[in-house]
Every structure is written in structure tokens, then in C-alpha cells.
Amino acid sequence: MGKLKVAVLISGRGSNLQALLDACASPGFPARIVRVISNVADAFGLERAKRAGVATQVIDHKAFPSREAFDAALDEAIRTAGAELVCLAGFMRLLSPGFTEAWRGRVLNIHPALLPSFKGLHTHQRALEAGVKLHGCSVHFVTPDLDDGPLIVQAAVPVLEGDDEDSLSKRVLAAEHRIYPLAVKLIGEGRVRLEGRVVHIDGAAGNPAALLNPAD
Ligand code: GAR
């Protein structure tokens, strides 16, 4: 079976893109990135893609009269690249319902919180203010509703005494870099089944132990 062809959409530094590029560099990894698309011309992630020898494309949302027109250009670029799966990796544009419906079950997003908690922006600051003891990140399928689609992989990290937004975001980001490649691997291996809004992973080995914070 051939490798799953993936397009990655970015807007910025692209550290999650880098984690995906690194994973795809392993011979046994079941996916490869066929194109990186940015809506921001000077996004550093474009450099990361070029260094890895992956084709890049800039589609500036400001050049389009509407969200639908921008999304149509994205759709065409993704199809032209031959991508079967789309990974949003710090892509800071909302996608229109037309796009998300057309690509239902084939678009992933990574969000820096344990969804359904803390949808939207400034998740780390809001987690600190809420006083949660566990925070984390989620990879989910994209639906028309913001940060609301079926969850595929999540990672929890502790919120430690003395944490600030910077220290907490670094801990979460390290977990993001583990779960995004894992989610793509599971899909590439054909182990992800979507039933309603619940994702089932064939052959998944979960850790049944509770994660306590503070530790007892
Ligand atoms: C990541 O933390 C990602 O989870 C977040 O933006 C950052 C992008 O970093 N995404 C969102 O907040 C989407 N709502 P990166 O460009 O280094 O991957």
C-alpha cells in the first residue's frame, strides 16, 4: 500500500509541521507530506518545508474577496497536490462549512488544550486562571464548529506550581509534537474509525493508570 499523501496548512513558526516532517522522514512511517500551504508569506514553517524538500505554496487570504473564495483556492491547491489528508498545524484561519463538509473526516487540527475544555485562543492563560491541575492538547477531526470535532489523540500534562503561560505552553507543545505524528500514523495505518462523533482506534494500547497531579 502506498503512503498516505498529506497537505499541511500553516500560518506561523511551524513546529508541529516540523514534528510531522521528522516523522515522515522515517522509512516505515505510513504518510508523506506532498505540500505545505501557508496563508502568511513569511511564515517560518515554509523554510522548514523547503529544507525538507517539500513543495510549498502561499495563498494569502487577504487576496480574496470572501472566506469562501479563499477556501476554494485552498481546496484546489490541496487537490492539485494529490493530498488525501489535510493537517492544520497552527493554521489561524476559520474554514467555511462548505470546505469542512467537502473534506469531512479528512481534515485534522491540533489544539493546545484538552478539548472540549478551552476551545478558541489563549488556552494556556485560561487554563492557569481556571486552576486546572491537568492541561494538554488534542488532535481532532475538523467540523464546521470551531475546535469541536471528534477527538483522535489527546495528551495530558500537569500544571505545576509556579507555572506561567510560557512554561506551560512549552510543556504542552512538547506533547503536541508527539501526538500529531501519532494521529497521522494511526490514520495512515488505517486504524482510525469514526462512528458518529466518537473515534475508535483499532488495536490501541491505552495506559489504564490514572495520571495524578499533584502526585501522591
Ligand atoms: C500550536 O500550539 C497549535 O496547537 C496552536 O498554534 C500553535 C502553532 O505552533 N493552534 C491553535 O491554537 C489552533 N487554534 P506551531 O506553528 O509551532 O506548530
Side-chain angles (χ1 to χ4, degrees), residues 4-142:
L4 181 70
K5 288 181 266 179
V6 178
V8 183
L9 273 52
I10 62 167
S11 300
R13 72 187 160 179
S15 72
N16 277 290
L17 164 65
Q18 188 68 57
L20 292 170
L21 288 167
D22 292 347
C24 289
S26 298
F29 196 77
R32 67 187 174 94
I33 300 174
V34 292
R35 189 166 307 190
V36 171
I37 300 170
S38 174
N39 65 311
V40 177
D42 62 356
F44 182 65
L46 291 167
E47 290 306 315
R48 298 179 188 268
K50 285 175 195 156
R51 278 183 213 159
V54 172
T56 62
Q57 188 170 354
V58 174
I59 305 178
D60 182 351
H61 59 278
K62 295 194 292 298
F64 294 86
S66 66
R67 192 178 296 283
E68 286 70 25
F70 171 64
D71 286 3
L74 280 181
D75 180 271
E76 180 175 354
I78 294 163
R79 288 180 198 278
T80 304
E84 302 154 289
L85 183 76
V86 179
C87 290
L88 310 183
F91 181 68
M92 303 311 266
R93 301 293 304 168
L94 288 176
L95 293 165
S96 58
F99 183 96
T100 53
E101 288 299 346
W103 285 89
R104 183 176 276 273
R106 295 180 295 160
V107 184
L108 309 187
N109 182 44
I110 187 150
H111 182 73
L114 283 173
L115 292 171
S117 293
F118 308 120
K119 297 176 179 179
L121 298 174
H122 310 299
T123 55
H124 308 309
Q125 190 57 40
R126 287 159 56 211
L128 287 166
E129 284 164 10
V132 295
K133 298 297 179 208
L134 294 172
H135 184 42
C137 48
S138 309
V139 178
H140 65 94
F141 284 115
V142 171

